[in-house]
Every structure is written in C-alpha cells, then in structure tokens.
Amino acid sequence: MVSSNFNRGEKLSPVKAAVVQYGILFMMLGLGAGLWRLQVLDVENYRVLAEQNRIRKEPILAPRGKLFDRENRLVVDDYPSVTCFLVREQTQNVDADLPLIAKGLDLDLDQLRATLHRYRGQPGYQPIPVKQDVTADEQAFIAAHRNELPELETIDEERRLYPRDGFAAHLIGYVGEVSEDDLNNSRFAYYEPGDVVGKAGIEETYDELLRGKDGSREVVVDSHGREVGYFGIEHAVPGQALKLTIDNDLQRAAELAMGDRNGAIVAMDPRNGEILALVSRPSFDPNAFTIKIDRTEWNKLITDPDHPLMNKALQAQLAPGSTFKILMSVAGLQEGVAQDMHIMCNGGWGPYGYYHQCDRRHGPVDIHTAIPYSCDTFFYMLGDKLGIDRIAKYATEFGYGQKTGIDLPGEQAGLMPSAQWKVKNYHARWYPDETLDVAIGQGAVEATPLQLARIIGGIASGGHLVRPHVVFPDQLPAEFRKSLADSFPGSGEAYISIDPENWQIITDGMAQVTEPGEFHTAGSAHLEGIDFAGKTGTAQQMSHEAMAKTAKSKSNNPNVWFVGVTPRRNPELVVAVLWQSGEFSYYPARIGAQVVEAYVDKKRRLAGNLPPPKAKPPVEMGAVWTTPGVETKPGAKNTAAAGGRGQIHSGHFFVQNGQIVAANPAGVETSPKRTKSATPPAAVNAKTVPTEVAAALPERRPALKPSSGPQPGPEPGRNP
C-alpha cells in the first residue's frame, strides 16, 4: 500500500514534462542565436575591439605654418618639443599616482589635480596634457617609471618660437590651449580640450590655415601598455606658411623709435593698404604663452594700467586732436568756405558765451597758414560756418567712426558725433558751441591710429582710401578670402573726389608743418632732402580748469599725435604715431620722422641711389710730442748728440678725415726747465705734427650749440 502510493507521487504529468522540454529547447535556440551573432554577424565589430586592446592610436600633431616678412625673411618659426599626457584608462587608481607624477615632472600637485578635474567629464581614453616642453631629465623619469606609471605617455610636437623682446607681438599674436569658454563658442566647434589655437593677431585670424591637419600612428602594445611595434601611420599635414606685408627693417626701426613710450605706430602703403610696420607699447612676450603662462605673470599682464595685451594701433580710441584739421580743411575747401576766410587770431574765439583758447596769437591767418600754424581760432570759425552736420558728413565718408576692415581681431570703430547721434544716445539737442570742440578734433570725436593712417593717407592720395591688411591676399584660398571679408567688415576701399586745387593747398600746408618756421608745429622733425609732410595733434585729457585743480602728474599730460606721409602727394608711405601722455606734439613728429627716414634710406640703398656722405666736421684733439735737439748756431754741438733731451711740444689740433686741417697749440714747453715757450701759436703749424700721432688720439666731440631758430611750442589750443 505504501509502495503504490509512493510510485504515484513520483509520476510527472505530461503537461509539466512538455513545458520543461520546450523551455530547454528555447534556451538552446537562444544560446545558438547568440553564438551566431557573436561568431558571424558581429565578427568585424568584435575583431576591431580586440585589436584595440593591443593597438593604441597616438596623435601626430601638425606643425603650424611659419610666418615670413615681405622679403621672405623668417619671422615666426617652430621648434621640436615633447609633451607629456596622462591616460586614465591605463591604471585603476590615478589619484594615488599623482604625488609621484608631480614630483617627477616638477609640477604643483594642486594644479595637477585641478587639471584632471577639468577633464572629469571626458572619456578615460582621452589624453590629458599635464606637462609641455618636457626636459631630458623628465623624459628619463617617465621611461624609468614605465611599469609604475603606465598612464604617462609622451608625444613629439612642434611648438611656436616667436621673436625676442616682443618684436611685432601685437601684430603676430600668440597661441594657447583652447579654454572651456572657447569650446562653448561656435568658432571652436571642431576643437577638443588640449588643442592649441591662435589667441590674437595673425595667429587668431589665420588659425584655420596655420594649424594644419593632425595625423596619427597605430602603436602595438603589450598587456602593460608598452610599445612593441607599429601597425600603421597617417602623416600630419603641416599648416600653410604665410607671407606678411610687414618689412622687418621698418618694423625694427619703428620699434626702436617708439622705445618704451606708451602708444602705437602704424606704417602703411596708402596705395594698396599693405601694413609695413605695426607697433603697440607696452608689449609682451608671446613665447610665454606657447607653453602655459604662469598665473602670476598672467595677472600682472591683465592688471597693468598701461594694458600691454591691448593692440593700441587699432584698439586705442582717443580724441585725434589737431590731426582732425586735415579733414576740416577738406570739408571747408570742398564746400567753398575756407578759400575766402582771412581771420585775425588774437588767442582764441568764443561767440557762444564760452571762450575757446588758441595757444598763441598767430595774427593774420588764412587756409595756407592755418595748417602749418595749427591755428585753433581759424578752425573754430571754420567749424562754426560748416556746422556739425556737414562736418559729420565728410568725416563719415572718409572713415571716422567706422572700422577699416583690417584682417586683425579686435579692431575698434572710434566715434564721429553728430546732432542725430546726440539725440539718439543722450536725448538732447546739439549746441553750436559743441561744434567748435569737434572742429579741432576734441569733444566726442574718437579715432584709432590705424584709422588716422588710412584717412590722412587717403586725403594725400587725392581721395583714394584703401582697406589695410597684413597678409598678402593672393596666397589665400578663394573661399577663405570671402569669409575673411565677411568676418572683418569695415569702410574698406573707397574713393572720394577732391578738387585738385584744394588737394594741392592741403598737401602743401602739410609739407609746411615739417619745415622750420615760426609757429610751424613740427619744424624740428624736418628731413633734409626728403619730401615729408604731416600734421601734429594734441588732445587734452581734461580741461584747463580741471588741470589747474589737479595735482600735476605725467598721466594727466595730453595725448599727442603725428600723421606723416612721403611724398606729400600720392604718397607711398603714411605713418601714424600716438604717444599717450606725451605732452608736446613735436615729440611724436620726431618719432615719425625716424620711421620715414629709415624707409627712404632703405629704398635709396636698394636702388643704389644713396646721397654722398656728409663731410664730418673737424674734430678737436690734443697732442703732446717731442722733437730732438737741433743745432742752433754754426759750429755748436747738437744738443741731442750731446745728451740733450730735445723739446716737448703740446697743442690742440683739428683733424678731418685723418688729416690735420688746422692747429691751435696752447704753447711749447722745453725740458728740463719746463718753461713756457714764447713761440707764438702761428709758429707751430700742422706740418710740424705727425698726422698719425694726432689721428691716434681719442676723439673729442665738439660741444652741441643751441639752436638759433625758433623752438616749437605746444600744440595750438591744447597745452599752455
């Protein structure tokens, strides 16, 4: 009974048996399908993944294109460098290795941790740059700790090498690692963290062409990540080299002329807009950015009140002062107003209740003398006759208040006020008294050195204005040229007709500015034998009343300008000089004259047309010499033969080109009594002195004589 019950309990129902059998069948089918997918359908995908376990792809960074000047002389080069990266997927605990890495690579541990924190959202295989320009000792450290620190990798790359002493730094710009803010910009959509990009100047504008295309190589590694061979390589494509419009010689001359003054210089060919030199002071060293600039150095640059990172040639927006009077002369002559103006300058003018000063009492003034005198009184009256609307019309046509369109980032537009401008921005009417300030380039008028170079050069060219540029456009791809014009809009090419007679009056007046003469504001910058014309300008930073109440300080000195051309009509060079807080406008005129002279001298030298060297003035020299004793009476013994010491002579002589041309001896002494000889000066002439003795003596420079001509004074109307 018991046995039968037990047998009935062990019996499995047919339904349950069928479920188990079908379940096993479906499991086998699922396993078979998975095996089919792995072994047949996805075989290529898993083969690639398996290969990646033993093949590592390393980037080959493309060298940036080099920069050359207009004569194909190297300006910016590249040099070989080694960078160390950290790959987090190579180790399980990167944080534990950081102290050893920081010590071996001479890094700040906190800064290293901050670097890794920046990349916390990136994949583990993303290389993180931790040290650039790795030294030989640091490379040895990485090699010696390969097993302990498998996450450290090195890569060879070409790094930027800029000229020393900040040469053309604002023109060239610099490169640096793309920042997080940059990556949020659409311009950097195709960049990745760690990429090096142009940050300013030419480096930024032409980054797309200069950076080239990176390559890669596939390295076979073992289970420890050590290289054991190469699988393949894709070579990098170097960036395009660019030929700049600048002339190294003129750039150096401009930088030497500017010295350590706070301001800018622009030298441009007004016929085609080619920038020949561009200087901004104070400058900076772009080499400091090629690795990673120290935080202390960066803070010093951005907190400097003189703004060394600012390109003042195209970003300094300041009142142009009396350089604006050239535009006023064009407007006055073209409108038929200035030709008949004959005024008496008594030191100023004030028809609207406020007396506007002129720096001097120039007496009778007309348009022919108003420019070289820079007479404020004349231009006050001219501005009053023209009115602000006509002044603004001409100024806008010639480019005031507009960008020039130069192919450099950060250009500013300046400002040209008008009645409509004041209503729009200040909801107030324009008063006639305000026009008087605008007429002499002050008030609300603002311009950059580059704008002034383009405008004054265009006026001297008969109304032909050009778009400035720093790279020859014929070497650029057509699509890039089009995008460049769209990215840097400005006044560009323009032609404003100027009556030939008016043009001659203006350019002749500008030439008189640099001629010595009473009231001529840049007479001290005259260049003999060079057709050199220009206009000075002084713009006060505060009124006379405010100056009187303020402690005297160099920073309160007016900003001074000079814009010069050579030759005076249809010039081939225009130079704009800004010296901030420079006090007197004839100072920048002398700076501009140095640049013009360097340009003309080089041109003459290349043409073999140098003028004959000027004869050097005679050099005053002192000499002491002896002559042997001589027989003084018939039959007397020779004093030298008898043991005599002869005579000692001394005197002053004038030597020119190695020859004694005159003598003025102080007297003759005899030895041993050393009594003054009574021989008159005329008795000792140049023939008694050996030329080689006098020529071997050190040169004594003649004392400088004070100028007998009139000394230039401050710019009219701006500084007493």
Side-chain angles (χ1 to χ4, degrees):
M1 191 69 183
V2 175
S3 175
S4 62
N5 290 337
F6 177 80
N7 289 335
R8 285 197 300 269
E10 291 293 328
K11 187 176 180 179
L12 188 66
S13 69
V15 176
K16 292 182 178 180
V19 171
V20 171
Q21 290 173 352
Y22 281 111
I24 294 173
L25 176 62
F26 285 127
M27 288 177 59
M28 296 300 295
L29 290 175
L31 290 173
L35 185 63
W36 173 266
R37 182 176 59 82
L38 291 174
Q39 296 294 327
V40 179
L41 297 181
D42 292 337
V43 63
E44 291 299 325
N45 181 40
Y46 288 102
R47 181 181 290 117
V48 170
L49 292 175
E51 288 294 329
Q52 288 179 347
N53 288 332
R54 68 183 184 92
I55 297 176
R56 184 172 63 233
K57 195 170 185 178
E58 294 183 348
I60 300 176
L61 303 182
R64 288 182 75 85
K66 299 180 180 180
L67 300 179
F68 298 86
D69 86 329
R70 64 188 301 110
E71 297 178 4
N72 290 317
R73 291 173 292 186
L74 187 63
V75 178
V76 178
D77 199 0
D78 299 311
Y79 71 93
S81 175
V82 176
T83 297
C84 178
F85 290 88
L86 189 148
V87 184
R88 289 165 293 174
E89 70 173 1
Q90 299 286 6
T91 184
Q92 296 296 326
N93 190 0
V94 175
D95 293 337
D97 294 337
L98 293 184
L100 179 59
I101 294 174
K103 182 178 179 181
L105 298 181
D106 192 24
L107 295 171
D108 181 78
L109 181 57
D110 293 335
Q111 187 174 354
L112 179 60
R113 286 172 174 158
T115 301
L116 264 66
H117 183 71
R118 284 180 53 199
Y119 290 82
R120 63 190 181 278
Q122 300 296 324
Y125 59 82
Q126 174 73 44
I128 301 174
V130 294
K131 182 67 181 287
Q132 299 170 328
D133 257 358
V134 175
T135 65
D137 292 343
E138 292 164 348
Q139 292 182 55
F141 165 81
I142 295 171
H145 293 77
R146 178 64 65 187
N147 292 333
E148 302 171 65
L149 304 172
E151 63 268 32
L152 292 185
E153 300 290 345
T154 59
I155 186 172
D156 296 331
E157 62 177 316
E158 298 286 325
R159 199 169 295 282
R160 256 337 196 199
L161 181 62
Y162 294 105
R164 298 175 58 187
D165 304 323
F167 179 85
H170 294 87
L171 173 73
I172 298 168
Y174 60 92
V175 295
E177 183 179 339
V178 63
S179 65
E180 293 183 9
D181 292 338
D182 292 336
L183 294 174
N184 295 327
N185 189 328
S186 59
R187 174 176 173 262
F188 299 94
Y190 298 100
Y191 292 82
E192 296 180 356
D195 284 349
V196 173
V197 297
K199 290 285 190 175
I202 294 169
E203 293 280 22
E204 179 177 333
T205 300
Y206 295 93
D207 182 70
E208 180 182 339
L209 301 179
L210 291 171
R211 74 189 312 264
K213 183 180 179 182
D214 294 341
S216 63
R217 61 176 180 172
E218 295 176 328
V219 182
V220 181
V221 298
D222 60 15
S223 59
H224 297 285
R226 293 172 297 198
E227 296 183 10
V228 295
Y230 295 95
F231 188 76
I233 185 169
E234 180 183 354
H235 295 283
V237 179
Q240 179 182 338
L242 293 178
K243 185 178 179 181
L244 311 182
T245 62
I246 67 166
D247 184 327
N248 272 359
D249 298 322
L250 199 63
Q251 178 73 26
R252 178 59 64 189
E255 299 209 2
L256 291 175
M258 195 67 194
D260 58 357
R261 302 174 181 91
N262 187 359
I265 296 178
V266 176
M268 184 183 75
D269 188 336
R271 299 170 297 184
N272 49 35
E274 294 172 3
I275 299 296
L276 303 179
L278 189 147
V279 179
S280 180
R281 286 288 187 271
S283 189
F284 63 95
D285 183 9
N287 290 296
F289 293 87
T290 58
I291 304 174
K292 194 167 186 179
I293 189 167
D294 180 77
R295 184 180 298 275
T296 303
E297 185 66 22
W298 172 251
N299 289 334
K300 181 180 177 182
L301 288 172
I302 62 176
T303 57
D304 191 323
D306 290 331
H307 308 293
L309 294 178
M310 177 183 180
N311 188 348
K312 295 178 180 176
L314 51 142
Q315 293 179 322
Q317 304 177 93
L318 300 168
S322 293
T323 61
F324 191 77
K325 293 173 182 175
I326 300 301
L327 184 281
M328 288 293 301
S329 300
V330 173
L333 289 169
Q334 289 293 105
E335 291 293 322
V337 175
Q339 292 90 334
D340 300 326
M341 282 186 59
H342 300 273
I343 65 106
M344 178 63 68
C345 174
N346 293 315
W349 194 55
Y352 299 106
Y354 180 81
Y355 191 76
H356 295 260
Q357 293 184 345
C358 187
D359 75 314
R360 297 185 183 184
R361 296 175 181 269
H362 293 105
V365 180
D366 60 12
I367 186 60
H368 299 281
T369 55
I371 295 176
Y373 289 179
S374 196
C375 178
D376 283 353
T377 304
F378 181 91
F379 288 98
Y380 290 147
M381 296 181 178
L382 177 60
D384 190 57
K385 289 178 179 291
L386 290 173
I388 187 60
D389 289 334
R390 281 198 286 186
I391 295 174
K393 169 182 173 292
Y394 278 90
T396 304
E397 286 180 350
F398 277 93
Y400 281 99
Q402 304 170 58
K403 296 180 180 180
T404 66
I406 190 173
D407 50 341
L408 289 175
E411 183 186 10
Q412 299 299 311
L415 176 63
M416 183 59 221
S418 65
Q420 293 78 9
W421 166 84
K422 190 175 181 184
V423 170
K424 179 180 178 181
N425 290 275
Y426 295 97
H427 308 289
R429 64 182 294 267
W430 184 273
Y431 293 98
D433 194 63
E434 296 176 88
T435 306
L436 275 59
D437 288 329
V438 171
I440 60 169
Q442 298 214 141
V445 184
E446 291 180 351
T448 67
L450 180 64
Q451 280 180 321
L452 290 182
R454 176 181 178 271
I455 293 168
I456 302 300
I459 292 173
S461 300
H464 176 224
L465 295 104
V466 295
R467 178 190 292 270
H469 57 276
V470 297
V471 172
F472 287 105
D474 57 359
Q475 60 190 321
L476 305 176
E479 291 184 3
F480 190 88
R481 283 203 303 270
K482 184 178 182 304
S483 64
L484 199 66
D486 295 337
S487 301
F488 297 94
S491 46
E493 299 277 342
Y495 180 76
I496 298 101
S497 178
I498 300 177
D499 183 88
E501 184 177 351
N502 298 338
W503 177 47
Q504 184 172 347
I505 292 173
I506 293 168
T507 51
D508 285 345
M510 291 171 61
Q512 288 296 312
V513 170
T514 62
E515 291 288 337
E518 188 177 11
F519 302 139
H520 291 192
T521 57
S524 62
H526 176 71
L527 296 175
E528 193 65 37
I530 298 177
D531 188 8
F532 178 38
K535 185 68 190 77
T536 57
T538 305
Q540 288 185 227
Q541 302 187 65
M542 58 180 67
S543 65
H544 291 288
E545 292 78 6
M547 285 281 288
K549 299 176 182 177
T550 306
K552 189 173 183 181
S553 170
K554 183 180 179 182
S555 61
N556 295 332
N557 287 339
N559 299 319
V560 288
W561 298 83
F562 176 77
V563 185
V565 297
T566 184
R568 73 184 73 180
R569 283 187 277 275
N570 295 320
E572 55 192 57
L573 178 71
V574 57
V575 178
V577 181
L578 163 66
W579 183 2
Q580 292 185 257
S581 302
E583 193 169 3
F584 297 120
S585 61
Y586 55 81
Y587 290 149
R590 295 170 183 174
I591 294 172
Q594 294 180 53
V595 179
V596 169
E597 189 173 29
Y599 172 83
V600 174
D601 284 350
K602 179 177 181 179
K603 184 180 178 183
R604 289 173 174 174
R605 183 176 69 253
L606 294 177
N609 191 29
L610 285 174
K614 297 179 181 179
K616 294 182 179 180
V619 178
E620 182 183 3
M621 308 181 73
V624 179
W625 72 97
T626 62
T627 55
V630 295
E631 185 177 341
T632 57
K633 294 182 180 180
K637 294 182 179 180
N638 188 298
T639 56
R645 300 183 182 179
Q647 290 182 313
I648 298 176
H649 306 272
S650 66
H652 289 157
F653 303 89
F654 292 89
V655 180
Q656 188 176 36
N657 297 327
Q659 301 293 326
I660 297 178
V661 296
N664 185 22
V668 179
E669 295 185 4
T670 58
S671 179
K673 294 183 179 180
R674 307 183 64 82
T675 57
K676 290 283 184 77
S677 169
T679 307
V684 182
N685 55 47
K687 294 181 179 180
T688 66
V689 186
T691 302
E692 60 273 13
V693 173
L697 293 175
E699 177 180 329
R700 280 182 62 188
R701 298 184 182 273
L704 295 176
K705 298 180 180 180
S707 174
S708 58
Q711 297 299 308
E715 179 67 20
R718 304 280 63 83
N719 200 61

